[in-house]
Amino acid sequence: MPVYEFQCKCGHVTEALVRMDTQTVECPKCNAKARKILSACSFELKGGGWYADGYASSKK
């Protein structure tokens, strides 16, 4: 299960380990419904070998 960020109307942002189809969770601060928000991803592909046409790099 992935970790998602949720934001409440009070402005509190919390993270939760929930199923992908979960749209709301209970805010730990005010107990209202917090909605799922879109957050930045920190995943990057670095180094040689990450190409659109294959996985291997061509070393000469």
Side-chain angles (χ1 to χ4, degrees), residues 1-29:
M1 282 191 268
V3 176
Y4 289 102
E5 286 186 326
F6 294 86
Q7 184 173 18
C8 182
K9 288 182 181 180
C10 71
H12 182 72
V13 176
T14 185
E15 293 180 345
L17 181 67
V18 294
R19 292 174 47 127
M20 289 178 65
D21 59 351
T22 304
Q23 294 300 315
T24 61
V25 296
E26 187 176 301
C27 176
K29 189 173 182 182

